[in-house]
């Protein structure tokens, strides 16, 4: 073999995926296996469906990082980027965990890695989802971790992680922080001038922030609000609040938060969403903003 012949990943990579900027929509929150619970799709099968419908997807799982899965999917020409969830099982708030995920994610997508703060917090909440743990070691769940300590103050290691995030191509997500913690995180992000913070599905009962709350909480220019379909599908959020978030707030990103076998698949979500936009009275321009323009701006360097 001559020295000019490609080797390794370069030899097997498929065509590059359609850039996120040229996609029809960007879903910043979709669960694939392997995850803490059984999921409907793998990175490859989900990526193929998003490609079929002209979309881009950001993979998520509660075990840790999807960065390497996303990189591999893109080598096969699929429109996929990744995230990491900083639950205790994945290494918690150690910046080295984030740096490793950034490296695994690569820089070919042109998009930031989403870094979710812990989603397993130990708080009492009985999910309405039908969920099956993916492995016997998860039968009793994962060890809990919160961004605030027993006194209600942000943990120092969270502040250090936010400092590190200023120099990395990432979007920090509030994870399943409660309303008090979200406010602490917003204040600290503004104080430290962290470029991007996404309020992760704030209508979820573990966070409990309504559109009225978010008018104040999400006022800072680097703060983005995620509105998921799942909070509405599970009736955690009423129709009016869902519509208000999508239509009234600045810097909104609309996502699915799907992937559960008990919930609708991607094509059905897209159809459901079209009706939801109409019911909420969204203009075509606003739909384009919350489904593509906003997510792209949040994820872009």
């Amino acid at each position: 073999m001559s020295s000019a012949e490609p080797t390794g990943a370069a030899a097997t990579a498929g065509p590059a995926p359609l850039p996120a900027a040229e996609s029809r929509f960007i879903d910043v929150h979709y669960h694939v296996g392997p995850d803490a619970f059984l999921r409907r799709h793998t990175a490859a099968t989900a990526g193929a469906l998003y490609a079929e419908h002209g979309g881009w997807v950001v993979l998520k799982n509660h075990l840790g990082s999807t960065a390497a899965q996303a990189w591999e999917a893109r080598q096969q020409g699929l429109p996929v980027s990744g995230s990491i969830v900083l639950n205790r099982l994945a290494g918690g708030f150690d910046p080295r965990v984030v740096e490793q995920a950034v490296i695994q994610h690569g820089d070919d997508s042109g998009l930031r890695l989403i870094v979710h703060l812990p989603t397993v917090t130990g708080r009492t909440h009985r999910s309405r989802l039908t969920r099956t743990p993916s492995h016997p070691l998860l039968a009793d769940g994962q060890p809990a971790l919160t961004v605030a300590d027993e006194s209600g103050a942000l943990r120092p290691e969270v502040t250090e992680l936010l400092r590190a995030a200023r120099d990395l191509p990432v979007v920090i997500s509030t994870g399943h922080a409660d309303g008090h913690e979200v406010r602490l995180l917003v204040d600290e992000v503004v104080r430290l001038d962290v470029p991007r913070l996404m309020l992760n599905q704030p209508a979820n009962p573990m966070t409990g922030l309504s559109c009225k709350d978010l008018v104040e909480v999400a006022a800072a220019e680097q703060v983005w609000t995620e509105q998921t379909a799942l909070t509405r599908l599970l009736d955690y959020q009423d129709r009016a609040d869902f519509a208000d978030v999508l239509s009234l707030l600045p810097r909104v990103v609309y996502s699915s938060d799907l992937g559960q076998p008990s919930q609708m698949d991607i094509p059905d979500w897209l159809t459901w969403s079209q009706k939801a936009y109409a019911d909420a009275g969204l203009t075509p321009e606003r739909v384009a903003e919350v489904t593509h323009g906003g997510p792209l701006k949040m994820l872009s360097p």
Side-chain angles (χ1 to χ4, degrees), residues 68-233:
Q69 286 173 284
W71 179 88
E72 185 169 1
R74 287 197 306 279
Q75 307 319 300
Q76 305 307 315
L78 298 174
V80 177
S81 56
S83 67
I84 183 170
V85 180
L86 301 180
N87 286 324
R88 191 180 295 277
L89 186 64
F93 304 120
D94 189 337
R96 294 173 297 181
V97 174
V98 177
E99 290 173 9
Q100 181 190 56
V102 167
I103 294 167
Q104 290 179 323
H105 197 231
D107 60 3
D108 58 291
S109 72
L111 301 179
R112 292 171 178 259
L113 179 84
I114 297 182
V115 177
H116 295 276
L117 296 171
T119 59
V120 179
T121 63
R123 297 189 174 99
T124 301
H125 166 62
R126 186 172 180 82
S127 175
R128 292 174 181 170
L129 287 167
T130 300
R131 303 189 294 188
T132 303
S134 63
H135 193 279
L137 289 177
L138 296 171
D140 296 323
Q142 295 186 49
L145 182 62
T146 59
V147 299
D149 61 22
E150 293 76 9
S151 71
L154 276 186
R155 298 184 188 276
E157 54 266 42
V158 174
T159 295
E160 290 309 305
L161 179 73
L162 294 177
R163 290 184 192 277
R166 295 182 300 187
D167 300 318
L168 294 170
V170 299
V171 175
I172 298 295
S173 157
T174 54
H176 289 171
D178 66 18
H180 168 70
E181 291 172 326
V182 166
R183 290 178 171 87
L184 292 178
L185 288 165
V186 169
D187 288 346
E188 194 72 342
V189 159
V190 171
R191 185 180 75 84
L192 295 175
D193 197 25
V194 178
R196 313 282 165 83
L197 177 72
M198 184 181 81
L199 307 184
N200 181 63
Q201 51 177 321
N204 186 287
M206 288 176 283
T207 303
L209 296 177
S210 67
C211 184
K212 183 178 179 181
D213 300 319
L214 293 169
V215 169
E216 175 187 357
V217 175
E221 63 180 9
Q222 65 262 62
V223 178
W224 298 76
T225 299
E226 178 197 21
Q227 175 60 64
T228 72
L230 189 62
T231 49
R232 179 72 196 108
L233 289 168

Side-chain angles (χ1 to χ4, degrees), residues 225-273:
T225 299
E226 178 197 21
Q227 175 60 64
T228 72
L230 189 62
T231 49
R232 179 72 196 108
L233 289 168
L234 295 179
D235 206 26
Y236 291 149
Q237 179 182 28
D238 65 34
R239 188 186 306 272
D241 193 71
F242 178 84
D244 285 349
V245 171
L246 285 178
S247 59
L248 300 177
L249 292 178
R251 298 176 301 280
V252 173
V253 295
Y254 175 64
S255 70
S256 69
D257 190 13
L258 295 175
Q260 307 84 1
S262 62
Q263 297 297 309
M264 63 179 67
D265 204 352
I266 297 159
D268 290 332
W269 166 63
L270 293 172
T271 299
W272 180 90
S273 295

Side-chain angles (χ1 to χ4, degrees), residues 40-58:
R40 180 184 291 275
H41 288 295
T42 66
T45 59
L49 270 173
Y50 279 87
E52 179 182 340
H53 292 277
W56 187 282
V57 62
V58 182

